[in-house]
Amino acid sequence: MANFNTHLNVAFMVSGTMSLTVYKAGLIDDSGFLMCVALGTIGGLLPDLDSDNSTPIKLGFNITSFIFAFGLVMHWRSELSLLALIALWLAGYGFMRYVVFSVFTNMTVHRGVIHSVPYMAIMGLGMTYISYDILNLPLTVSWFYGLFLFGGAIVHLALDELYSVNLSNMKMKRSSGTAMKFYQHKDKWWYLLLYVMLVLLVYFAPPFDEFWQQLRDPAPWAKLKIGLWPELIKNWLN
């Protein structure tokens, strides 16, 4: 399978290119452009959360542990003494970084249900739901955030499948088919749960028709076509 740097670089390049496209079409603003790049890159690392020794899972749990500990201290900062707050900070960080991390890694298997298309679709739809219904962001932006997170994850899965092909003699490696999967019989009950969650998220998702109508509107793409070439080349072509 592809390594961490490959996943990071390819996800960044793909999400950057796509973000620039929708930005130049006027469908997102400056902050939306930056968030789409970030979410697409993060999505390119998400499937490896089920790998106990992967860089994404270690980095993710380190950041989550800091945020969790900081949240505890901020919540209790007025009620507790300095020494108690320090103890709470250390306890909160240690609980997330070592206890929760240990439970998570023991419950997950690399290239298990997390490393699948329906799981990543849930992550993408969840991002759209959070953006629209909780953060109250515009509908178009919310759908783009979810799609870029999902798209980055699909890039990751596609890379892993590509790396499962031995191009020198055109043979499939043993890992072929374990990356971009929709179902695995040994995890049938987990997949049943995933698809039930996915159906519910689709049903309660923010309106897609309005977002689709904006994508089908020819005006943004006409604007993109006008700004596609530098002025020097446009003048030369004309």
Side-chain angles (χ1 to χ4, degrees):
M1 64 179 178
N3 59 27
F4 173 79
N5 287 332
T6 301
H7 284 308
L8 179 66
N9 292 328
V10 174
F12 176 75
M13 288 188 291
V14 172
S15 61
T17 302
M18 298 304 297
S19 298
L20 276 173
T21 301
V22 295
Y23 172 73
K24 292 297 289 183
L27 294 170
I28 55 175
D29 58 14
D30 295 353
S31 60
F33 162 70
L34 293 175
M35 279 298 298
C36 284
V37 176
L39 288 169
T41 305
I42 291 170
L45 304 176
L46 268 183
D48 274 348
L49 286 179
D50 59 1
S51 179
D52 297 355
N53 297 312
S54 72
T55 301
I57 184 61
K58 291 179 179 178
L59 179 61
F61 262 96
N62 280 334
I63 294 173
T64 303
S65 300
F66 277 120
I67 294 174
F68 180 74
F70 180 76
L72 289 176
V73 170
M74 290 301 295
H75 181 76
W76 296 101
R77 66 187 185 280
S78 302
E79 289 81 9
L80 299 178
S81 66
L82 175 60
L83 290 178
L85 287 173
I86 293 174
L88 182 64
W89 175 280
L90 295 175
Y93 177 82
F95 174 75
M96 285 296 298
R97 179 61 182 86
Y98 299 104
V99 177
V100 176
F101 177 76
S102 178
V103 171
F104 181 84
T105 53
N106 285 330
M107 289 180 63
T108 56
V109 178
H110 188 41
R111 295 212 172 183
V113 293
I114 291 179
H115 210 281
S116 67
V117 174
Y119 189 92
M120 292 304 135
I122 289 172
M123 294 292 102
L125 281 170
M127 185 72 240
T128 299
Y129 174 83
I130 291 171
S131 300
Y132 185 72
D133 289 312
I134 297 178
L135 300 179
N136 296 316
L137 296 177
L139 179 68
T140 301
V141 172
S142 300
W143 272 109
F144 272 128
Y145 284 1
L147 287 172
F148 269 87
L149 187 70
F150 175 69
I154 293 299
V155 169
H156 178 114
L157 299 180
L159 279 172
D160 279 351
E161 284 295 350
L162 181 63
Y163 273 70
S164 68
V165 179
N166 188 341
L167 296 177
S168 61
N169 52 12
M170 298 303 295
K171 292 198 320 186
M172 306 300 289
K173 299 178 182 177
R174 292 179 60 187
S175 59
S176 177
T178 63
M180 188 177 286
K181 56 184 179 291
F182 293 84
Y183 176 77
Q184 206 166 23
H185 187 69
K186 67 183 182 68
D187 295 319
K188 58 183 178 182
W189 299 115
W190 282 111
Y191 276 96
L192 175 62
L193 177 61
L194 286 184
Y195 280 109
V196 169
M197 292 174 61
L198 188 56
V199 169
L200 290 174
L201 281 171
V202 169
Y203 182 79
F204 291 107
F208 184 77
D209 289 344
E210 185 179 338
F211 171 69
W212 181 242
Q213 288 300 322
Q214 287 185 292
L215 290 185
R216 294 183 61 187
D217 185 356
W221 308 114
K223 179 180 178 181
L224 177 65
K225 186 178 180 180
I226 293 173
L228 184 62
W229 300 102
E231 288 295 328
L232 181 63
I233 296 179
K234 284 196 293 184
N235 293 334
W236 180 78
L237 290 174
N238 292 330

